[in-house]
Amino acid sequence: MSAAPTRRVSSSFGHWNASHQNHQTNRHTTTATTPLPPPKAHASYGVTTKQQYTMIINGLKYNTLVRMSLTNSMDMQCESWHLILAAMKGNTSVSDIYIGPNFYSRISPKEFDDFLQHIASTLVNLRVLSIGTLEFTKTPIEATCIAKFVDTAVNLQTLRIERNLTIKSLEEAQMLAQGFRNHTTLRRISLPSLHPSWTDCTLDPLLEALVAIRGLESLQLGLSEESFGWHQQISNPHVLGKLGGLPHLTWLVVSRFHVGDEHVEQLCAEMTRVASPIKILDITKTRRVTVTAWKAVLQMLQAECHLEALDMHCARGEAVEVKAQAQLFMRLNREGRRNKLRQTSDKEEWVDTVGRFFAKDVRAVNILVRESPWICRRDA
C-alpha cells in the first residue's frame, strides 16, 4: 500500500493556495487557488475566515506550510493571531514569508518589531523575508527593527525591503551594520529605499558590514526619493570600491547616492584586481558622474571579461564615444568573450562565433583578434 502524500501548503490572509508536491514517490499533483471571498460570498466558496486561520495554524503545527503571505490587516489581539504565533514555535517547514503593506501599515512599530523578532527566533528554517510596498502606504520601517531581525534570523538567505527603511542616527546605522556584519548565510539583499535622516549622515558603516558577507551574490542599495540630495551618504570612495571585491557578487545596484567619479574609479580598480564576477552593474540617478568614470569603466573592460551590462547616467554628450566603446566590450562579454573567444582552441568555433555576432563590426573583430593571437597561427 503506497504512503499517503505529504501536503505542502502556501497560505496568506488575502488568498490561499494548497498544492501537493509531485516528487518521485508516487505523489499526486493538484493545485487550488481561491481568492478570499467577501463576507456574503463565504458560503458559495466554502472557505470562511475561521477555516482559513485553522488551515494556517494546522500548516504551521504539522510542518506542511512552506510559504506564508501576510497581505491584509490583522488584529494583533484576536485569539486566532495568538494561536498562529504559538503554532510557529517548533515549526521547521516555513522558509518564505512575504509581508504586504496592508499588514504592517495598520499596526504599531512596536507590534511589528515584536512580530519580526518572533518569526526570527521561532522559524528556524526561514530563508526569505520580503516586505512589499504601495505608494499610498507611507508607514516606514525602523532600522533598529531590521537590525535585530537580521541578527536573530541566522539562516536567512534573502532579504528584500521595498518600504522606506528609516535610519535616524549614526548609532542606528552602526546597529544595522552590526546585524549584517555577523551574518554568514545571506546571499541576496535588496534595500532600495534607505532613508537616513540626520545631519551629515554617512552609510559607510553599512557598506563596510556588507563587504564582510563574503557569500553575497546580489545587492541592491538605494536612497528614498525624500533623502536623495540631502547629504553625501557615502563619504569614503574606497568603501564602495570594496564591494567590487566580493568573490560571488554578480549583480550590484547603487541608486540615488551621491556617487562621483572617484567612487566609480575605486570600484573599477577593485573589480579589475580580483577579476570580479559582477555581470550587471547599475549606478543610476546620481548627480556627479562624468566621462572620467566611463573611462575607468572602459579601462576595466579591456582587461575584465565578466561585466555584461552597465547603467550609469552621465551628462548628455560628454561620454558618447567612450560609452560606445564600453558597450562594445560588454556585448563581447555577453557573447562569451572569455569562454568562446579567448580560451577556445578550436579555430572553426572561433570563426563561427565571430561571423555570427560580429561580422559587420570591424572594431569588435580587431579586439577579438588582438585578444586571441593564436587564431593567426597556421597550426591553430
PDB file of all heavy atoms in Angstrom, residues 19 26 28 36 60 97-98 118 126 142 165 179 181 200 233-234 245 249 278 286 289 302 314 326 343 374:
ATOM      1  N   SER A  19      -1.175  22.957  -2.458  1.00  0.00           N
ATOM      2  CA  SER A  19      -0.688  22.114  -3.550  1.00  0.00           C
ATOM      3  C   SER A  19       0.013  20.888  -3.014  1.00  0.00           C
ATOM      4  O   SER A  19       0.689  20.942  -2.000  1.00  0.00           O
ATOM      5  CB  SER A  19       0.273  22.902  -4.454  1.00  0.00           C
ATOM      6  OG  SER A  19       1.401  23.280  -3.712  1.00  0.00           O
ATOM      7  N   ASN A  26       5.487   8.661  -6.015  1.00  0.00           N
ATOM      8  CA  ASN A  26       4.081   8.430  -6.357  1.00  0.00           C
ATOM      9  C   ASN A  26       3.150   9.462  -5.730  1.00  0.00           C
ATOM     10  O   ASN A  26       2.007   9.152  -5.399  1.00  0.00           O
ATOM     11  CB  ASN A  26       3.651   7.022  -5.919  1.00  0.00           C
ATOM     12  CG  ASN A  26       4.407   5.953  -6.658  1.00  0.00           C
ATOM     13  OD1 ASN A  26       4.700   6.104  -7.845  1.00  0.00           O
ATOM     14  ND2 ASN A  26       4.746   4.868  -5.958  1.00  0.00           N
ATOM     15  N   HIS A  28       0.717  12.659  -5.963  1.00  0.00           N
ATOM     16  CA  HIS A  28      -0.137  13.272  -6.966  1.00  0.00           C
ATOM     17  C   HIS A  28       0.009  14.782  -6.901  1.00  0.00           C
ATOM     18  O   HIS A  28       0.272  15.346  -5.850  1.00  0.00           O
ATOM     19  CB  HIS A  28      -1.599  12.881  -6.732  1.00  0.00           C
ATOM     20  CG  HIS A  28      -1.798  11.395  -6.719  1.00  0.00           C
ATOM     21  ND1 HIS A  28      -1.730  10.627  -7.851  1.00  0.00           N
ATOM     22  CD2 HIS A  28      -2.014  10.547  -5.682  1.00  0.00           C
ATOM     23  CE1 HIS A  28      -1.939   9.361  -7.527  1.00  0.00           C
ATOM     24  NE2 HIS A  28      -2.105   9.285  -6.218  1.00  0.00           N
ATOM     25  N   LEU A  36      -9.869  34.939  -1.275  1.00  0.00           N
ATOM     26  CA  LEU A  36     -10.733  35.027  -0.107  1.00  0.00           C
ATOM     27  C   LEU A  36     -11.978  35.822  -0.460  1.00  0.00           C
ATOM     28  O   LEU A  36     -11.894  36.968  -0.872  1.00  0.00           O
ATOM     29  CB  LEU A  36      -9.985  35.723   1.039  1.00  0.00           C
ATOM     30  CG  LEU A  36     -10.711  35.754   2.384  1.00  0.00           C
ATOM     31  CD1 LEU A  36     -10.898  34.342   2.904  1.00  0.00           C
ATOM     32  CD2 LEU A  36      -9.943  36.592   3.381  1.00  0.00           C
ATOM     33  N   LEU A  60       1.242  25.266  10.138  1.00  0.00           N
ATOM     34  CA  LEU A  60       2.394  25.547  10.997  1.00  0.00           C
ATOM     35  C   LEU A  60       2.635  24.409  11.982  1.00  0.00           C
ATOM     36  O   LEU A  60       3.771  23.981  12.200  1.00  0.00           O
ATOM     37  CB  LEU A  60       2.164  26.853  11.765  1.00  0.00           C
ATOM     38  CG  LEU A  60       2.209  28.153  10.949  1.00  0.00           C
ATOM     39  CD1 LEU A  60       1.636  29.313  11.753  1.00  0.00           C
ATOM     40  CD2 LEU A  60       3.643  28.471  10.524  1.00  0.00           C
ATOM     41  N   ILE A  97       8.535  34.114   3.784  1.00  0.00           N
ATOM     42  CA  ILE A  97       7.463  34.975   4.292  1.00  0.00           C
ATOM     43  C   ILE A  97       7.434  36.265   3.493  1.00  0.00           C
ATOM     44  O   ILE A  97       8.465  36.923   3.312  1.00  0.00           O
ATOM     45  CB  ILE A  97       7.641  35.289   5.786  1.00  0.00           C
ATOM     46  CG1 ILE A  97       7.411  34.031   6.622  1.00  0.00           C
ATOM     47  CG2 ILE A  97       6.677  36.387   6.231  1.00  0.00           C
ATOM     48  CD1 ILE A  97       7.479  34.264   8.111  1.00  0.00           C
ATOM     49  N   TYR A  98       6.250  36.603   3.005  1.00  0.00           N
ATOM     50  CA  TYR A  98       6.025  37.894   2.353  1.00  0.00           C
ATOM     51  C   TYR A  98       5.088  38.706   3.223  1.00  0.00           C
ATOM     52  O   TYR A  98       4.023  38.227   3.639  1.00  0.00           O
ATOM     53  CB  TYR A  98       5.404  37.718   0.968  1.00  0.00           C
ATOM     54  CG  TYR A  98       4.929  39.036   0.377  1.00  0.00           C
ATOM     55  CD1 TYR A  98       5.840  39.948  -0.139  1.00  0.00           C
ATOM     56  CD2 TYR A  98       3.577  39.376   0.384  1.00  0.00           C
ATOM     57  CE1 TYR A  98       5.419  41.169  -0.650  1.00  0.00           C
ATOM     58  CE2 TYR A  98       3.137  40.592  -0.139  1.00  0.00           C
ATOM     59  CZ  TYR A  98       4.071  41.481  -0.645  1.00  0.00           C
ATOM     60  OH  TYR A  98       3.654  42.689  -1.135  1.00  0.00           O
ATOM     61  N   HIS A 118       9.705  37.547  16.688  1.00  0.00           N
ATOM     62  CA  HIS A 118       9.091  36.241  16.931  1.00  0.00           C
ATOM     63  C   HIS A 118       9.384  35.271  15.791  1.00  0.00           C
ATOM     64  O   HIS A 118       9.792  34.126  16.040  1.00  0.00           O
ATOM     65  CB  HIS A 118       7.576  36.410  17.104  1.00  0.00           C
ATOM     66  CG  HIS A 118       6.866  35.140  17.453  1.00  0.00           C
ATOM     67  ND1 HIS A 118       6.848  34.621  18.725  1.00  0.00           N
ATOM     68  CD2 HIS A 118       6.161  34.270  16.676  1.00  0.00           C
ATOM     69  CE1 HIS A 118       6.166  33.484  18.730  1.00  0.00           C
ATOM     70  NE2 HIS A 118       5.730  33.258  17.499  1.00  0.00           N
ATOM     71  N   LEU A 126      13.682  29.645   8.257  1.00  0.00           N
ATOM     72  CA  LEU A 126      13.302  30.794   7.445  1.00  0.00           C
ATOM     73  C   LEU A 126      14.463  31.214   6.556  1.00  0.00           C
ATOM     74  O   LEU A 126      15.563  31.494   7.034  1.00  0.00           O
ATOM     75  CB  LEU A 126      12.888  31.962   8.349  1.00  0.00           C
ATOM     76  CG  LEU A 126      12.396  33.211   7.626  1.00  0.00           C
ATOM     77  CD1 LEU A 126      11.107  32.925   6.866  1.00  0.00           C
ATOM     78  CD2 LEU A 126      12.174  34.364   8.620  1.00  0.00           C
ATOM     79  N   GLU A 142      11.573  50.782  10.830  1.00  0.00           N
ATOM     80  CA  GLU A 142      12.703  51.277  11.599  1.00  0.00           C
ATOM     81  C   GLU A 142      13.934  50.404  11.367  1.00  0.00           C
ATOM     82  O   GLU A 142      13.848  49.175  11.361  1.00  0.00           O
ATOM     83  CB  GLU A 142      12.354  51.292  13.090  1.00  0.00           C
ATOM     84  CG  GLU A 142      11.127  52.114  13.449  1.00  0.00           C
ATOM     85  CD  GLU A 142      11.366  53.605  13.249  1.00  0.00           C
ATOM     86  OE1 GLU A 142      12.540  54.026  13.284  1.00  0.00           O
ATOM     87  OE2 GLU A 142      10.373  54.338  13.055  1.00  0.00           O
ATOM     88  N   LEU A 165      13.207  52.489   4.725  1.00  0.00           N
ATOM     89  CA  LEU A 165      13.890  51.981   5.906  1.00  0.00           C
ATOM     90  C   LEU A 165      14.548  53.175   6.599  1.00  0.00           C
ATOM     91  O   LEU A 165      15.571  53.691   6.148  1.00  0.00           O
ATOM     92  CB  LEU A 165      14.932  50.934   5.514  1.00  0.00           C
ATOM     93  CG  LEU A 165      15.666  50.233   6.655  1.00  0.00           C
ATOM     94  CD1 LEU A 165      14.672  49.499   7.555  1.00  0.00           C
ATOM     95  CD2 LEU A 165      16.694  49.251   6.112  1.00  0.00           C
ATOM     96  N   GLY A 179      24.257  44.093  12.627  1.00  0.00           N
ATOM     97  CA  GLY A 179      23.403  42.948  12.329  1.00  0.00           C
ATOM     98  C   GLY A 179      23.838  42.228  11.075  1.00  0.00           C
ATOM     99  O   GLY A 179      23.867  40.991  11.023  1.00  0.00           O
ATOM    100  N   ARG A 181      26.923  42.460   9.678  1.00  0.00           N
ATOM    101  CA  ARG A 181      28.322  42.047   9.758  1.00  0.00           C
ATOM    102  C   ARG A 181      28.456  40.638  10.341  1.00  0.00           C
ATOM    103  O   ARG A 181      29.357  39.876   9.971  1.00  0.00           O
ATOM    104  CB  ARG A 181      29.118  43.045  10.603  1.00  0.00           C
ATOM    105  CG  ARG A 181      30.610  42.745  10.660  1.00  0.00           C
ATOM    106  CD  ARG A 181      31.355  43.802  11.449  1.00  0.00           C
ATOM    107  NE  ARG A 181      31.406  45.075  10.737  1.00  0.00           N
ATOM    108  CZ  ARG A 181      30.733  46.162  11.079  1.00  0.00           C
ATOM    109  NH1 ARG A 181      29.937  46.136  12.138  1.00  0.00           N
ATOM    110  NH2 ARG A 181      30.834  47.281  10.383  1.00  0.00           N
ATOM    111  N   ASP A 200      24.645  65.468   8.154  1.00  0.00           N
ATOM    112  CA  ASP A 200      25.952  64.921   7.770  1.00  0.00           C
ATOM    113  C   ASP A 200      25.974  63.400   7.857  1.00  0.00           C
ATOM    114  O   ASP A 200      26.934  62.799   8.337  1.00  0.00           O
ATOM    115  CB  ASP A 200      27.074  65.505   8.646  1.00  0.00           C
ATOM    116  CG  ASP A 200      27.187  67.014   8.488  1.00  0.00           C
ATOM    117  OD1 ASP A 200      26.951  67.499   7.363  1.00  0.00           O
ATOM    118  OD2 ASP A 200      27.486  67.687   9.478  1.00  0.00           O
ATOM    119  N   GLN A 233      26.176  60.749   1.988  1.00  0.00           N
ATOM    120  CA  GLN A 233      25.794  59.354   2.174  1.00  0.00           C
ATOM    121  C   GLN A 233      26.948  58.352   2.115  1.00  0.00           C
ATOM    122  O   GLN A 233      27.058  57.489   2.966  1.00  0.00           O
ATOM    123  CB  GLN A 233      24.696  58.921   1.176  1.00  0.00           C
ATOM    124  CG  GLN A 233      23.435  59.734   1.286  1.00  0.00           C
ATOM    125  CD  GLN A 233      23.253  60.655   0.118  1.00  0.00           C
ATOM    126  OE1 GLN A 233      23.803  60.434  -0.944  1.00  0.00           O
ATOM    127  NE2 GLN A 233      22.483  61.695   0.290  1.00  0.00           N
ATOM    128  N   ILE A 234      27.788  58.400   1.093  1.00  0.00           N
ATOM    129  CA  ILE A 234      28.965  57.532   1.037  1.00  0.00           C
ATOM    130  C   ILE A 234      30.179  58.454   1.003  1.00  0.00           C
ATOM    131  O   ILE A 234      30.549  58.982  -0.045  1.00  0.00           O
ATOM    132  CB  ILE A 234      28.951  56.617  -0.199  1.00  0.00           C
ATOM    133  CG1 ILE A 234      27.673  55.776  -0.233  1.00  0.00           C
ATOM    134  CG2 ILE A 234      30.165  55.688  -0.187  1.00  0.00           C
ATOM    135  CD1 ILE A 234      27.552  54.897  -1.465  1.00  0.00           C
ATOM    136  N   GLY A 245      35.053  43.707  -4.702  1.00  0.00           N
ATOM    137  CA  GLY A 245      35.928  42.598  -4.380  1.00  0.00           C
ATOM    138  C   GLY A 245      35.218  41.379  -3.829  1.00  0.00           C
ATOM    139  O   GLY A 245      35.862  40.355  -3.544  1.00  0.00           O
ATOM    140  N   LEU A 249      29.667  38.038  -5.940  1.00  0.00           N
ATOM    141  CA  LEU A 249      28.671  39.051  -6.314  1.00  0.00           C
ATOM    142  C   LEU A 249      28.572  39.168  -7.833  1.00  0.00           C
ATOM    143  O   LEU A 249      29.560  39.435  -8.512  1.00  0.00           O
ATOM    144  CB  LEU A 249      29.073  40.400  -5.714  1.00  0.00           C
ATOM    145  CG  LEU A 249      28.026  41.513  -5.794  1.00  0.00           C
ATOM    146  CD1 LEU A 249      26.833  41.189  -4.904  1.00  0.00           C
ATOM    147  CD2 LEU A 249      28.636  42.855  -5.376  1.00  0.00           C
ATOM    148  N   ILE A 278      30.996  40.241 -11.217  1.00  0.00           N
ATOM    149  CA  ILE A 278      29.814  41.082 -11.429  1.00  0.00           C
ATOM    150  C   ILE A 278      29.468  41.137 -12.919  1.00  0.00           C
ATOM    151  O   ILE A 278      30.294  41.509 -13.750  1.00  0.00           O
ATOM    152  CB  ILE A 278      30.045  42.505 -10.893  1.00  0.00           C
ATOM    153  CG1 ILE A 278      30.186  42.479  -9.373  1.00  0.00           C
ATOM    154  CG2 ILE A 278      28.897  43.433 -11.296  1.00  0.00           C
ATOM    155  CD1 ILE A 278      30.498  43.831  -8.756  1.00  0.00           C
ATOM    156  N   THR A 286      22.391  59.351 -10.189  1.00  0.00           N
ATOM    157  CA  THR A 286      23.431  60.087  -9.486  1.00  0.00           C
ATOM    158  C   THR A 286      23.538  61.482 -10.083  1.00  0.00           C
ATOM    159  O   THR A 286      22.935  61.780 -11.108  1.00  0.00           O
ATOM    160  CB  THR A 286      24.791  59.373  -9.626  1.00  0.00           C
ATOM    161  OG1 THR A 286      25.173  59.397 -11.007  1.00  0.00           O
ATOM    162  CG2 THR A 286      24.706  57.939  -9.152  1.00  0.00           C
ATOM    163  N   VAL A 289      28.571  61.909 -11.801  1.00  0.00           N
ATOM    164  CA  VAL A 289      29.368  61.056 -12.683  1.00  0.00           C
ATOM    165  C   VAL A 289      29.627  61.772 -14.005  1.00  0.00           C
ATOM    166  O   VAL A 289      28.710  62.315 -14.625  1.00  0.00           O
ATOM    167  CB  VAL A 289      28.653  59.714 -12.927  1.00  0.00           C
ATOM    168  CG1 VAL A 289      29.351  58.928 -14.026  1.00  0.00           C
ATOM    169  CG2 VAL A 289      28.610  58.899 -11.648  1.00  0.00           C
ATOM    170  N   GLN A 302      38.601  46.424 -20.723  1.00  0.00           N
ATOM    171  CA  GLN A 302      39.656  45.946 -21.621  1.00  0.00           C
ATOM    172  C   GLN A 302      40.409  44.758 -21.029  1.00  0.00           C
ATOM    173  O   GLN A 302      41.016  43.984 -21.757  1.00  0.00           O
ATOM    174  CB  GLN A 302      40.623  47.093 -21.931  1.00  0.00           C
ATOM    175  CG  GLN A 302      39.992  48.155 -22.821  1.00  0.00           C
ATOM    176  CD  GLN A 302      40.847  49.399 -22.952  1.00  0.00           C
ATOM    177  OE1 GLN A 302      41.765  49.621 -22.168  1.00  0.00           O
ATOM    178  NE2 GLN A 302      40.555  50.222 -23.957  1.00  0.00           N
ATOM    179  N   CYS A 314      25.240  59.892 -17.134  1.00  0.00           N
ATOM    180  CA  CYS A 314      26.300  60.874 -17.324  1.00  0.00           C
ATOM    181  C   CYS A 314      25.701  62.061 -18.067  1.00  0.00           C
ATOM    182  O   CYS A 314      24.666  61.929 -18.741  1.00  0.00           O
ATOM    183  CB  CYS A 314      27.454  60.260 -18.120  1.00  0.00           C
ATOM    184  SG  CYS A 314      28.882  61.329 -18.340  1.00  0.00           S
ATOM    185  N   ALA A 326      32.729  51.086 -24.465  1.00  0.00           N
ATOM    186  CA  ALA A 326      32.423  50.230 -23.318  1.00  0.00           C
ATOM    187  C   ALA A 326      31.284  49.273 -23.643  1.00  0.00           C
ATOM    188  O   ALA A 326      31.327  48.086 -23.287  1.00  0.00           O
ATOM    189  CB  ALA A 326      32.072  51.098 -22.104  1.00  0.00           C
ATOM    190  N   GLN A 343      39.526  31.434 -24.761  1.00  0.00           N
ATOM    191  CA  GLN A 343      40.113  30.201 -24.275  1.00  0.00           C
ATOM    192  C   GLN A 343      39.922  29.013 -25.215  1.00  0.00           C
ATOM    193  O   GLN A 343      40.557  27.991 -25.043  1.00  0.00           O
ATOM    194  CB  GLN A 343      39.511  29.861 -22.899  1.00  0.00           C
ATOM    195  CG  GLN A 343      39.824  30.933 -21.857  1.00  0.00           C
ATOM    196  CD  GLN A 343      39.177  30.634 -20.508  1.00  0.00           C
ATOM    197  OE1 GLN A 343      38.407  29.689 -20.381  1.00  0.00           O
ATOM    198  NE2 GLN A 343      39.508  31.433 -19.512  1.00  0.00           N
ATOM    199  N   TRP A 374      46.485  33.409 -31.091  1.00  0.00           N
ATOM    200  CA  TRP A 374      46.684  32.055 -31.583  1.00  0.00           C
ATOM    201  C   TRP A 374      45.876  31.798 -32.878  1.00  0.00           C
ATOM    202  O   TRP A 374      46.212  30.902 -33.656  1.00  0.00           O
ATOM    203  CB  TRP A 374      46.259  31.032 -30.532  1.00  0.00           C
ATOM    204  CG  TRP A 374      44.823  31.181 -30.078  1.00  0.00           C
ATOM    205  CD1 TRP A 374      44.366  31.940 -29.065  1.00  0.00           C
ATOM    206  CD2 TRP A 374      43.681  30.582 -30.687  1.00  0.00           C
ATOM    207  NE1 TRP A 374      42.991  31.857 -28.977  1.00  0.00           N
ATOM    208  CE2 TRP A 374      42.540  31.023 -29.960  1.00  0.00           C
ATOM    209  CE3 TRP A 374      43.482  29.703 -31.763  1.00  0.00           C
ATOM    210  CZ2 TRP A 374      41.267  30.611 -30.271  1.00  0.00           C
ATOM    211  CZ3 TRP A 374      42.203  29.302 -32.069  1.00  0.00           C
ATOM    212  CH2 TRP A 374      41.096  29.757 -31.339  1.00  0.00           C
TER     213      TRP A 374
END
